[in-house]
Each structure stands twice: as structure tokens, then as C-alpha cells.
Amino acid sequence: MAAEISSILLLFVVLGFAVLRPRGLPEAVAAIPAAAIVVASGAVHWADALSEIRRLAPVVAFLAAILILAQLCDDEGLFRALGAVTARASRGNPIRLLTMVFIVAAAITAILSLDATVVLLTPVVFVTAASLGLRAKPHVYACTHLANSGSLLLPVSNLTNLLAFTASGLTFGAFTLMMALPWVAAVGVEYLIFRLFFDRDLGLGTTGCGQPEKLALPVVAVVIVALTLAGFGLTSVAGVNPAWAAAAGAAVLAVRALCRRTATVKSLVSAGSVPFLAFVLALGVVVRAVEDNGLGSAVGRLVPVGSSLPALLAVAALAAVLANVVNNLPAVLVLLPAAAAAGPGVVLAVLIGVNVGPNLTYVGSLATLLWRRILTRNNAEPQLGEFLRLGALTVPPVLVVSVLALWVSLRMFGG
Amino acid sequence: MAVLIWVVEGSWPACVDAAGRLGWSGDRVMLIYVREAEVTAAVAGAYAGLFGRGRSARDPSQRLTEASISVAEELLDAAEARLGRPAQRLIRTGRIEREVVAAATGVDVLIVARDGDLSRLGPRSLGRHTRFVVDHAPCPVLLVWPRIAPSVESLQPPP
């Protein structure tokens, strides 16, 4: 009982620290000592902690490779070039621009992960819209939304996917096949709602100030990304961990960047976000302690069994709610063991919930939202009512339609 | 006479042209552009939602803020060039509608473009911010159509 309470308390400390970010310290500062305490106190057996780390280490390495690959693509000018391509293709028409932004953001999120969309693509999209003399709001919001709901397709699209992918026992190809329809459905429903919601903003044409700059796509970066994608497929067929394909892609671009002195070893390590990776490992150990001390069986009772449509909907809704309490990362760690026991269909439904759910608030969870409200109470707080309304309008239908699509996929491809 | 022109993406040329057409190139022309704090805040929020990434150095909202300042400058450059004479420039940040109302204090006329449903005459031709500004302006308002106004036939038939 003491171990149960202490490990839950420690989990709260770790999550609280990650939400509050005191003095801007890395989240690992709280998570690593907490992991050490749960092991030292015997709340989790050291062998179990080790096996948890061993299970998560390849996931984390995979993520690091993708983060570095995305940063190197940015250094090569991929994102600015994509901005120029979308600008040209839009021909100054806001609706056509929104369509292009949806295509690019969904593809970047799927291939280079949601971090790339939020950190690297969003500012480019803002500048692209503004340089066409268009209101940037719908296009920027499309990026922030698709970073979540557009991350269903590949195991690399989201850290939650990598975790679920490992737990589901599916191959890279099978995962992608199952999630293709839900991904298309999610992006499609978002698009329709965006078109209606921003009807007026999109109705005003361009003032035609400024011509979009002519930038060619960086061929090397595009080819490497394409080869990495092909590598995912090949490694999947050959039964090799697809992380090697990501590592190879990142390595080729890294060597090129080092030779051309556009990157340093330091900048590459920094792009790999080592403290973040350490945080994920430590959080995994703490969550394992909480699970081993009773929460696991409690969650097991909550997660519906079977892959009937109502069961999948219930699982996705539960995951979305849990993701909105603190964050989708702890939510997926807590839900996965029970979901994995119930089969890959349930794992993928959890994934839809934790990936789409965070759009309900603009910061991914209520805890972060409340904290940011407290932080900004004394300043002129920007009015985010519109963004919250957009979240409330999109999340329920996107959830339902993509779970429906998953159900169809499961029927079609088995699982 | 003091004329305040509210510069908004997509519709500002109509406002500038209206000032010129009516000969209101008067004593003092001001151009106001309000940077929408909500967009930057939403992006900062999306980054904060990436759990565990720490490092505020990568926060994309900072790049967005810098970009939006230069966007505002460029828009006002273009507006001033179209106006064909020097104008006082105001760049504000915050709630768009309230910033515009505050800047309109003591002005002889505020020029605003409709930004809603432009396909027919009626109250829906004003968007949310424009509606607020028209309703709360502390000065006379000139409300223009950003494109050719719809014909009177677009009126709803009387009940």
C-alpha cells in the first residue's frame, strides 16, 4: 500500500514538474530522481525497471533519429521550400492555400513527426500566408491541429505511436496499413470543419502584395526522406527494426551537414533532445512502478475488451479523456499494458484517442491550460476562445469518424 | 482632420482607396494594424503541449512574433504607398477589436472594411471584430465594401 501511494505521488511530482517547468529546467530533472527512488525503495523491482528501459530504449533512439532527421531537413531548407511550393500552388487563393497546408502538414507530421510540424513547419506557414497578403490564422491553426490529428499514420509520426507500435506487436507495414484509413478520415474531417469554421476568413481574397519567392526543393533532403520511408517498408518486410532506416537517413544527412559545416556535433546532439529522451525513459520506469502497485489491474478493468465498434469507441473516448487530464504521453503509458493484452485493435483505438484528444485544448491538456491561465492572469491574456471552440467542434467528430475507419480497417485487414 | 484607416489583410486597399476618393487626405492620416495575439498564443500553446521537450529556445511562437512584426511593417508600407502620401503608422498587439476602438478615440473618421459574407447585403457582411468596432467606435465610421457591393436583389424578401 505504501509503495502504491508513494509511486503515485512520485508520478504526480514528475508530471507536475513537466507541466510547471520551474525555472525552465528540463523535465528530466524531476523524472530521473523519481525513477531512482521507485527502484531504490523497491516499488518496482530493478529487473523490471531494467526491462522497461530496455523496451523503451529502441523507441527513444528511433525518436532521436527522426528528430535529428527533421532538423537536418530544416537546415537543408526543406521547410522554407515547402512554404514556397504551397504559396505558388495556392495562386493567392486562401482556400487553395488551406488545402495545400493540410496536405503538407499531414505529410510532414506523418513522416517527420509532430515536433517537426509544430516547431519547423508552423512558422513557415505563417510567413507563407502573410507574404501572400492572406490572413494567417486558419493556416496556422491547421498546422497545430494536424500536428495531433494528422499523426495517426506511421509509427514515427508521434512518440505515442512509437510506444503503441512496440506494445502492439504489429509490423511497421501492418501498423501503417491499419492506420491509413483512420488517418485519411481524421484529416478529411478536420478539413471539412476548418472550411466551415473559417468560411469568412477564407472568403476574403488576397491583396496581391508580394510574389511568392521561387525556391527549389532541396533535392538531397527530399531523396533521403524518400529513401528513409522506403527503408521503413523494407526493414518491416525483412523483420528488422525500422529504427535502423531512420538512423541511416539521419546519419547520411548528418555526415553531409558535418562535411559542409552546416551542422556541428553539438547542434546534432541538441537536435536529438537528450534530456527529453531521458525524461521518457524515467517516466516509463515511474509509470511501471505505479502499474505494478495496483493501477495496472484498475486500468485493466476500465479498458473494454474486444474490437466491436462500441468497444473501440469507448476505448478511444477513455484515452482522449485521460490524455486531456495531464498529457497524452503518461496517458498512453498507463493505458498500453491493458490495451496490448486486449489486442492490436484496442491499442490502435487508444492511439486515436490520445493523438486526437489533445486538440480539445490548445496546449494538449487541461492541467497545462490551467497553469498557463494562472501564469498569464496578470498580463493581457490573449483571447483563445475561438481556438478552444474550434477544438471542441473538431475533436468529437474526428474521434468518431477515425475510430469508425479503424473498425473498417480491422474488418478489411484482420487484426 | 484626423483619418484612421484600419488595415486588415485582404480588405485594406478598399479602405485606402475610399480615403483617396473622398478627398480625405486631410491633415492627418493614420494607418493601424493590429497583430493578433491569439495566433501567437495558440502556437506557443501547441509547443507547450509537446510534453517533456523543455528548451524554450525552440519555441516556434518566438519566430512567429518576429515574422508577424515584419509582416505588419510590410502591410503598412504597401498601404502607405497606395495612399500616395506619408501617414502615421500604428502597430498594436492584442485583441484586435479593442485595440482599434482604443486607437479611434478623438479621430474624425475611422475607415473600416466589411469582412464577413460578401455575397449579399446584410448584417452577416460584418465579421466578429468588425461588428464590435462598428458597434463601439467612439467616432464617425466609414464602412466600405472590399469588393464591388452585392446588388440590392441580394436582399432577403420582406417577411
Side-chain angles (χ1 to χ4, degrees), chain B residues 43-99:
Chain B
V43 172
Y47 181 70
L50 296 178
F51 209 58
R53 270 69 156 189
R55 294 188 311 149
S56 55
R58 284 168 68 83
D59 189 343
S61 67
Q62 289 171 6
R63 281 169 68 191
L64 218 70
T65 304
E66 287 159 22
S68 79
I69 291 170
S70 61
V71 162
E73 297 278 0
E74 281 166 24
L75 261 182
L76 294 188
D77 279 345
E80 201 173 348
R82 191 174 180 113
L83 194 65
R85 60 181 299 256
Q88 188 189 343
R89 296 143 156 262
L90 309 170
I91 296 181
R92 298 278 184 271
T93 305
R95 297 190 174 197
I96 293 182
E97 67 282 21
R98 289 177 187 269
E99 292 295 331

Short mmCIF file of all heavy atoms in Angstrom, two decimals, chain B residues 43-99:
data_model
loop_
_atom_site.label_atom_id
_atom_site.label_comp_id
_atom_site.label_asym_id
_atom_site.label_seq_id
_atom_site.Cartn_x
_atom_site.Cartn_y
_atom_site.Cartn_z
N VAL B 43 0.16 29.05 -30.98
CA VAL B 43 1.37 28.33 -31.38
C VAL B 43 2.25 28.06 -30.15
O VAL B 43 2.80 26.97 -29.99
CB VAL B 43 2.14 29.11 -32.47
CG1 VAL B 43 3.48 28.47 -32.75
CG2 VAL B 43 1.31 29.15 -33.74
N ALA B 44 2.35 29.07 -29.27
CA ALA B 44 3.10 28.86 -28.02
C ALA B 44 2.46 27.71 -27.24
O ALA B 44 3.16 26.87 -26.66
CB ALA B 44 3.11 30.14 -27.18
N GLY B 45 1.13 27.65 -27.26
CA GLY B 45 0.42 26.59 -26.55
C GLY B 45 0.69 25.23 -27.17
O GLY B 45 0.91 24.25 -26.47
N ALA B 46 0.70 25.18 -28.51
CA ALA B 46 0.96 23.91 -29.18
C ALA B 46 2.35 23.40 -28.82
O ALA B 46 2.56 22.20 -28.63
CB ALA B 46 0.83 24.07 -30.70
N TYR B 47 3.29 24.33 -28.69
CA TYR B 47 4.65 23.91 -28.32
C TYR B 47 4.68 23.44 -26.87
O TYR B 47 5.32 22.44 -26.53
CB TYR B 47 5.64 25.05 -28.54
CG TYR B 47 7.06 24.66 -28.20
CD1 TYR B 47 7.74 23.74 -29.00
CD2 TYR B 47 7.71 25.16 -27.08
CE1 TYR B 47 9.02 23.35 -28.70
CE2 TYR B 47 8.99 24.77 -26.77
CZ TYR B 47 9.66 23.86 -27.58
OH TYR B 47 10.93 23.47 -27.26
N ALA B 48 3.97 24.17 -26.00
CA ALA B 48 3.92 23.77 -24.58
C ALA B 48 3.26 22.41 -24.44
O ALA B 48 3.57 21.66 -23.51
CB ALA B 48 3.16 24.82 -23.77
N GLY B 49 2.37 22.08 -25.37
CA GLY B 49 1.69 20.79 -25.31
C GLY B 49 2.60 19.63 -25.66
O GLY B 49 2.28 18.48 -25.38
N LEU B 50 3.75 19.93 -26.27
CA LEU B 50 4.74 18.88 -26.53
C LEU B 50 5.45 18.60 -25.21
O LEU B 50 6.37 19.28 -24.83
CB LEU B 50 5.75 19.33 -27.60
CG LEU B 50 5.20 19.59 -28.99
CD1 LEU B 50 6.32 20.08 -29.89
CD2 LEU B 50 4.59 18.33 -29.57
N PHE B 51 4.97 17.58 -24.55
CA PHE B 51 5.39 17.28 -23.18
C PHE B 51 6.85 16.86 -23.13
O PHE B 51 7.28 16.01 -23.91
CB PHE B 51 4.52 16.13 -22.71
CG PHE B 51 4.27 16.09 -21.24
CD1 PHE B 51 3.69 17.16 -20.59
CD2 PHE B 51 4.60 14.96 -20.51
CE1 PHE B 51 3.42 17.10 -19.25
CE2 PHE B 51 4.33 14.90 -19.16
CZ PHE B 51 3.74 15.97 -18.53
N GLY B 52 7.61 17.43 -22.22
CA GLY B 52 8.95 16.94 -21.96
C GLY B 52 10.02 17.51 -22.86
O GLY B 52 11.18 17.17 -22.72
N ARG B 53 9.64 18.39 -23.82
CA ARG B 53 10.65 18.90 -24.76
C ARG B 53 11.47 20.03 -24.17
O ARG B 53 12.45 20.46 -24.77
CB ARG B 53 10.00 19.37 -26.06
CG ARG B 53 9.88 18.29 -27.12
CD ARG B 53 8.89 17.24 -26.75
NE ARG B 53 8.33 16.52 -27.90
CZ ARG B 53 7.33 15.68 -27.81
NH1 ARG B 53 6.78 15.42 -26.63
NH2 ARG B 53 6.87 15.07 -28.88
N GLY B 54 11.06 20.55 -22.99
CA GLY B 54 11.83 21.59 -22.32
C GLY B 54 12.20 22.74 -23.24
O GLY B 54 11.39 23.21 -24.03
N ARG B 55 13.42 23.19 -23.13
CA ARG B 55 14.10 24.14 -24.01
C ARG B 55 13.23 25.15 -24.76
O ARG B 55 12.74 24.89 -25.85
CB ARG B 55 14.94 23.36 -25.02
CG ARG B 55 16.07 22.63 -24.33
CD ARG B 55 16.98 22.05 -25.35
NE ARG B 55 16.23 21.30 -26.35
CZ ARG B 55 16.61 21.19 -27.60
NH1 ARG B 55 17.69 21.77 -27.99
NH2 ARG B 55 15.91 20.46 -28.44
N SER B 56 13.07 26.30 -24.17
CA SER B 56 12.22 27.31 -24.81
C SER B 56 12.90 27.88 -26.05
O SER B 56 12.28 28.60 -26.83
CB SER B 56 11.90 28.42 -23.83
OG SER B 56 13.10 28.94 -23.31
N ALA B 57 14.18 27.55 -26.27
CA ALA B 57 14.89 28.09 -27.42
C ALA B 57 14.23 27.69 -28.74
O ALA B 57 14.33 28.39 -29.73
CB ALA B 57 16.34 27.62 -27.41
N ARG B 58 13.55 26.54 -28.72
CA ARG B 58 12.93 26.08 -29.96
C ARG B 58 11.49 26.56 -30.12
O ARG B 58 10.85 26.23 -31.11
CB ARG B 58 12.96 24.54 -30.00
CG ARG B 58 14.33 24.00 -30.34
CD ARG B 58 14.39 22.51 -30.10
NE ARG B 58 13.56 21.72 -31.00
CZ ARG B 58 13.93 21.35 -32.22
NH1 ARG B 58 15.10 21.71 -32.67
NH2 ARG B 58 13.16 20.60 -32.96
N ASP B 59 11.00 27.32 -29.13
CA ASP B 59 9.59 27.75 -29.16
C ASP B 59 9.27 28.47 -30.48
O ASP B 59 9.80 29.55 -30.74
CB ASP B 59 9.33 28.66 -27.96
CG ASP B 59 7.85 28.97 -27.81
OD1 ASP B 59 7.10 28.76 -28.80
OD2 ASP B 59 7.44 29.40 -26.73
N PRO B 60 8.41 27.88 -31.34
CA PRO B 60 8.16 28.49 -32.64
C PRO B 60 7.41 29.81 -32.54
O PRO B 60 7.43 30.60 -33.48
CB PRO B 60 7.31 27.45 -33.36
CG PRO B 60 6.68 26.64 -32.27
CD PRO B 60 7.66 26.63 -31.14
N SER B 61 6.75 30.08 -31.40
CA SER B 61 5.98 31.32 -31.31
C SER B 61 6.90 32.54 -31.33
O SER B 61 6.48 33.63 -31.70
CB SER B 61 5.10 31.31 -30.05
OG SER B 61 5.89 31.37 -28.90
N GLN B 62 8.16 32.35 -30.93
CA GLN B 62 9.09 33.49 -30.99
C GLN B 62 9.39 33.85 -32.44
O GLN B 62 9.43 35.02 -32.81
CB GLN B 62 10.37 33.16 -30.24
CG GLN B 62 10.14 33.12 -28.74
CD GLN B 62 11.31 32.59 -27.95
OE1 GLN B 62 12.38 32.35 -28.49
NE2 GLN B 62 11.11 32.40 -26.67
N ARG B 63 9.59 32.81 -33.26
CA ARG B 63 9.82 33.07 -34.69
C ARG B 63 8.58 33.71 -35.31
O ARG B 63 8.67 34.57 -36.19
CB ARG B 63 10.14 31.77 -35.42
CG ARG B 63 11.58 31.34 -35.23
CD ARG B 63 11.82 29.93 -35.73
NE ARG B 63 11.72 29.82 -37.18
CZ ARG B 63 11.69 28.65 -37.82
NH1 ARG B 63 11.76 27.53 -37.14
NH2 ARG B 63 11.60 28.60 -39.11
N LEU B 64 7.41 33.26 -34.83
CA LEU B 64 6.15 33.79 -35.35
C LEU B 64 6.00 35.27 -35.01
O LEU B 64 5.58 36.07 -35.84
CB LEU B 64 5.00 33.00 -34.73
CG LEU B 64 3.83 32.70 -35.63
CD1 LEU B 64 4.26 31.71 -36.67
CD2 LEU B 64 2.67 32.15 -34.82
N THR B 65 6.37 35.62 -33.77
CA THR B 65 6.26 37.01 -33.33
C THR B 65 7.15 37.90 -34.19
O THR B 65 6.70 38.94 -34.69
CB THR B 65 6.68 37.13 -31.85
OG1 THR B 65 5.88 36.23 -31.10
CG2 THR B 65 6.51 38.52 -31.34
N GLU B 66 8.40 37.47 -34.40
CA GLU B 66 9.31 38.26 -35.23
C GLU B 66 8.75 38.42 -36.64
O GLU B 66 8.74 39.52 -37.20
CB GLU B 66 10.68 37.58 -35.31
CG GLU B 66 11.48 37.68 -34.04
CD GLU B 66 12.56 36.61 -33.94
OE1 GLU B 66 12.96 36.09 -35.00
OE2 GLU B 66 12.97 36.29 -32.82
N ALA B 67 8.26 37.30 -37.19
CA ALA B 67 7.74 37.35 -38.55
C ALA B 67 6.53 38.27 -38.63
O ALA B 67 6.38 39.03 -39.59
CB ALA B 67 7.37 35.95 -39.02
N SER B 68 5.67 38.22 -37.60
CA SER B 68 4.44 39.00 -37.70
C SER B 68 4.72 40.49 -37.59
O SER B 68 3.97 41.31 -38.13
CB SER B 68 3.42 38.55 -36.65
OG SER B 68 3.73 39.08 -35.40
N ILE B 69 5.81 40.86 -36.93
CA ILE B 69 6.16 42.28 -36.87
C ILE B 69 6.60 42.76 -38.25
O ILE B 69 6.15 43.81 -38.73
CB ILE B 69 7.27 42.53 -35.82
CG1 ILE B 69 6.70 42.30 -34.42
CG2 ILE B 69 7.82 43.95 -35.94
CD1 ILE B 69 7.72 42.29 -33.32
N SER B 70 7.40 41.94 -38.93
CA SER B 70 7.84 42.40 -40.26
C SER B 70 6.68 42.36 -41.25
O SER B 70 6.63 43.19 -42.17
CB SER B 70 9.05 41.59 -40.75
OG SER B 70 8.72 40.25 -40.86
N VAL B 71 5.75 41.41 -41.06
CA VAL B 71 4.56 41.37 -41.91
C VAL B 71 3.76 42.66 -41.74
O VAL B 71 3.31 43.27 -42.71
CB VAL B 71 3.68 40.14 -41.55
CG1 VAL B 71 2.28 40.31 -42.09
CG2 VAL B 71 4.31 38.88 -42.09
N ALA B 72 3.61 43.10 -40.49
CA ALA B 72 2.86 44.33 -40.22
C ALA B 72 3.52 45.52 -40.90
O ALA B 72 2.85 46.36 -41.53
CB ALA B 72 2.77 44.54 -38.71
N GLU B 73 4.84 45.58 -40.78
CA GLU B 73 5.59 46.69 -41.41
C GLU B 73 5.34 46.71 -42.92
O GLU B 73 5.09 47.76 -43.52
CB GLU B 73 7.10 46.51 -41.16
CG GLU B 73 7.51 46.56 -39.70
CD GLU B 73 7.65 47.98 -39.19
OE1 GLU B 73 7.43 48.90 -39.99
OE2 GLU B 73 7.97 48.15 -37.98
N GLU B 74 5.42 45.49 -43.53
CA GLU B 74 5.27 45.42 -44.99
C GLU B 74 3.87 45.84 -45.42
O GLU B 74 3.70 46.56 -46.41
CB GLU B 74 5.55 43.99 -45.47
CG GLU B 74 7.03 43.69 -45.56
CD GLU B 74 7.30 42.20 -45.70
OE1 GLU B 74 6.40 41.47 -46.18
OE2 GLU B 74 8.40 41.76 -45.32
N LEU B 75 2.86 45.40 -44.64
CA LEU B 75 1.48 45.76 -44.98
C LEU B 75 1.31 47.28 -44.93
O LEU B 75 0.70 47.88 -45.82
CB LEU B 75 0.52 45.11 -43.99
CG LEU B 75 -0.18 43.83 -44.40
CD1 LEU B 75 -1.11 43.38 -43.30
CD2 LEU B 75 -0.97 44.04 -45.69
N LEU B 76 1.84 47.89 -43.88
CA LEU B 76 1.69 49.33 -43.74
C LEU B 76 2.49 50.07 -44.81
O LEU B 76 2.07 51.13 -45.29
CB LEU B 76 2.07 49.78 -42.33
CG LEU B 76 1.13 49.26 -41.23
CD1 LEU B 76 1.46 49.89 -39.88
CD2 LEU B 76 -0.33 49.52 -41.57
N ASP B 77 3.65 49.50 -45.20
CA ASP B 77 4.41 50.06 -46.32
C ASP B 77 3.54 50.10 -47.57
O ASP B 77 3.44 51.13 -48.26
CB ASP B 77 5.63 49.17 -46.65
CG ASP B 77 6.79 49.44 -45.71
OD1 ASP B 77 6.76 50.48 -45.03
OD2 ASP B 77 7.72 48.60 -45.66
N ALA B 78 2.91 48.94 -47.85
CA ALA B 78 2.09 48.84 -49.06
C ALA B 78 0.91 49.80 -48.99
O ALA B 78 0.56 50.46 -49.98
CB ALA B 78 1.59 47.40 -49.21
N ALA B 79 0.31 49.92 -47.80
CA ALA B 79 -0.85 50.81 -47.65
C ALA B 79 -0.43 52.26 -47.85
O ALA B 79 -1.12 53.04 -48.52
CB ALA B 79 -1.48 50.61 -46.27
N GLU B 80 0.73 52.62 -47.30
CA GLU B 80 1.20 53.99 -47.41
C GLU B 80 1.52 54.32 -48.87
O GLU B 80 1.22 55.41 -49.35
CB GLU B 80 2.43 54.18 -46.53
CG GLU B 80 2.69 55.63 -46.17
CD GLU B 80 3.82 55.79 -45.17
OE1 GLU B 80 4.25 54.78 -44.58
OE2 GLU B 80 4.26 56.93 -44.97
N ALA B 81 2.11 53.32 -49.56
CA ALA B 81 2.45 53.54 -50.97
C ALA B 81 1.17 53.75 -51.78
O ALA B 81 1.11 54.62 -52.66
CB ALA B 81 3.23 52.35 -51.50
N ARG B 82 0.14 52.96 -51.48
CA ARG B 82 -1.12 53.10 -52.23
C ARG B 82 -1.79 54.43 -51.92
O ARG B 82 -2.41 55.04 -52.79
CB ARG B 82 -2.04 51.93 -51.86
CG ARG B 82 -3.26 51.84 -52.78
CD ARG B 82 -4.05 50.59 -52.47
NE ARG B 82 -5.21 50.47 -53.32
CZ ARG B 82 -5.37 49.53 -54.25
NH1 ARG B 82 -4.43 48.61 -54.42
NH2 ARG B 82 -6.47 49.48 -54.97
N LEU B 83 -1.62 54.86 -50.67
CA LEU B 83 -2.21 56.13 -50.25
C LEU B 83 -1.53 57.29 -50.98
O LEU B 83 -2.16 58.31 -51.29
CB LEU B 83 -2.01 56.28 -48.73
CG LEU B 83 -2.79 57.36 -48.00
CD1 LEU B 83 -4.28 57.04 -48.07
CD2 LEU B 83 -2.33 57.43 -46.54
N GLY B 84 -0.24 57.12 -51.24
CA GLY B 84 0.49 58.14 -52.01
C GLY B 84 0.92 59.35 -51.20
O GLY B 84 1.26 60.37 -51.76
N ARG B 85 0.87 59.23 -49.90
CA ARG B 85 1.37 60.33 -49.05
C ARG B 85 1.75 59.77 -47.70
O ARG B 85 1.31 58.67 -47.34
CB ARG B 85 0.30 61.40 -48.91
CG ARG B 85 -0.98 60.92 -48.28
CD ARG B 85 -1.99 62.02 -48.20
NE ARG B 85 -1.49 63.10 -47.37
CZ ARG B 85 -1.90 63.31 -46.12
NH1 ARG B 85 -2.80 62.54 -45.58
NH2 ARG B 85 -1.42 64.30 -45.42
N PRO B 86 2.58 60.49 -46.97
CA PRO B 86 3.04 59.94 -45.68
C PRO B 86 1.87 59.79 -44.70
O PRO B 86 0.94 60.61 -44.72
CB PRO B 86 4.04 60.98 -45.17
CG PRO B 86 4.23 61.98 -46.25
CD PRO B 86 3.15 61.81 -47.26
N ALA B 87 1.94 58.76 -43.91
CA ALA B 87 0.89 58.55 -42.91
C ALA B 87 1.54 58.09 -41.61
O ALA B 87 2.65 57.55 -41.61
CB ALA B 87 -0.09 57.48 -43.40
N GLN B 88 0.84 58.36 -40.53
CA GLN B 88 1.35 57.90 -39.24
C GLN B 88 0.99 56.43 -39.09
O GLN B 88 -0.13 56.04 -39.39
CB GLN B 88 0.70 58.73 -38.13
CG GLN B 88 1.29 58.47 -36.77
CD GLN B 88 0.48 59.16 -35.67
OE1 GLN B 88 -0.32 60.05 -35.93
NE2 GLN B 88 0.68 58.68 -34.45
N ARG B 89 1.96 55.61 -38.65
CA ARG B 89 1.70 54.17 -38.57
C ARG B 89 1.54 53.74 -37.12
O ARG B 89 2.33 54.11 -36.26
CB ARG B 89 2.89 53.40 -39.13
CG ARG B 89 3.15 53.62 -40.56
CD ARG B 89 4.64 53.64 -40.78
NE ARG B 89 4.93 53.29 -42.16
CZ ARG B 89 5.27 52.07 -42.54
NH1 ARG B 89 5.45 51.11 -41.67
NH2 ARG B 89 5.49 51.81 -43.81
N LEU B 90 0.52 52.95 -36.89
CA LEU B 90 0.31 52.39 -35.55
C LEU B 90 0.30 50.87 -35.67
O LEU B 90 -0.50 50.31 -36.41
CB LEU B 90 -1.03 52.84 -34.96
CG LEU B 90 -1.35 54.34 -34.97
CD1 LEU B 90 -2.80 54.57 -34.58
CD2 LEU B 90 -0.42 55.07 -34.00
N ILE B 91 1.23 50.21 -35.00
CA ILE B 91 1.19 48.75 -34.94
C ILE B 91 0.88 48.39 -33.49
O ILE B 91 1.59 48.77 -32.58
CB ILE B 91 2.52 48.12 -35.39
CG1 ILE B 91 2.78 48.44 -36.86
CG2 ILE B 91 2.48 46.61 -35.19
CD1 ILE B 91 4.07 47.86 -37.40
N ARG B 92 -0.23 47.69 -33.30
CA ARG B 92 -0.63 47.31 -31.94
C ARG B 92 -0.69 45.79 -31.85
O ARG B 92 -0.77 45.09 -32.86
CB ARG B 92 -2.02 47.88 -31.63
CG ARG B 92 -2.08 49.39 -31.65
CD ARG B 92 -1.59 49.97 -30.32
NE ARG B 92 -1.73 51.44 -30.29
CZ ARG B 92 -0.80 52.29 -30.71
NH1 ARG B 92 0.32 51.83 -31.21
NH2 ARG B 92 -1.00 53.59 -30.63
N THR B 93 -0.70 45.29 -30.64
CA THR B 93 -0.79 43.85 -30.42
C THR B 93 -1.85 43.59 -29.37
O THR B 93 -1.92 44.31 -28.39
CB THR B 93 0.56 43.29 -29.90
OG1 THR B 93 1.57 43.67 -30.80
CG2 THR B 93 0.50 41.78 -29.78
N GLY B 94 -2.69 42.59 -29.61
CA GLY B 94 -3.68 42.23 -28.59
C GLY B 94 -4.99 41.83 -29.20
O GLY B 94 -5.03 41.24 -30.27
N ARG B 95 -6.07 42.18 -28.49
CA ARG B 95 -7.41 41.89 -29.02
C ARG B 95 -7.70 42.91 -30.09
O ARG B 95 -7.81 44.12 -29.81
CB ARG B 95 -8.44 42.00 -27.90
CG ARG B 95 -8.20 40.98 -26.80
CD ARG B 95 -9.37 40.96 -25.87
NE ARG B 95 -9.20 39.87 -24.90
CZ ARG B 95 -10.18 39.38 -24.17
NH1 ARG B 95 -11.40 39.86 -24.28
NH2 ARG B 95 -9.96 38.40 -23.33
N ILE B 96 -7.84 42.41 -31.31
CA ILE B 96 -7.92 43.29 -32.47
C ILE B 96 -8.97 44.37 -32.29
O ILE B 96 -8.69 45.57 -32.39
CB ILE B 96 -8.23 42.45 -33.73
CG1 ILE B 96 -7.04 41.54 -34.04
CG2 ILE B 96 -8.56 43.34 -34.91
CD1 ILE B 96 -7.21 40.69 -35.27
N GLU B 97 -10.23 43.93 -31.97
CA GLU B 97 -11.34 44.87 -31.97
C GLU B 97 -11.15 45.96 -30.91
O GLU B 97 -11.46 47.13 -31.14
CB GLU B 97 -12.66 44.11 -31.80
CG GLU B 97 -12.90 43.44 -30.44
CD GLU B 97 -12.15 42.12 -30.24
OE1 GLU B 97 -11.16 41.89 -30.94
OE2 GLU B 97 -12.55 41.35 -29.34
N ARG B 98 -10.61 45.59 -29.77
CA ARG B 98 -10.45 46.57 -28.70
C ARG B 98 -9.32 47.55 -28.99
O ARG B 98 -9.39 48.74 -28.65
CB ARG B 98 -10.23 45.87 -27.36
CG ARG B 98 -11.51 45.20 -26.89
CD ARG B 98 -11.35 44.42 -25.61
NE ARG B 98 -12.60 43.70 -25.36
CZ ARG B 98 -13.60 44.19 -24.65
NH1 ARG B 98 -13.50 45.39 -24.11
NH2 ARG B 98 -14.69 43.49 -24.49
N GLU B 99 -8.28 47.06 -29.60
CA GLU B 99 -7.16 47.94 -29.96
C GLU B 99 -7.60 48.98 -30.98
O GLU B 99 -7.21 50.14 -30.89
CB GLU B 99 -6.00 47.11 -30.53
CG GLU B 99 -5.30 46.20 -29.51
CD GLU B 99 -4.60 46.98 -28.41
OE1 GLU B 99 -4.15 48.11 -28.65
OE2 GLU B 99 -4.52 46.43 -27.28
#
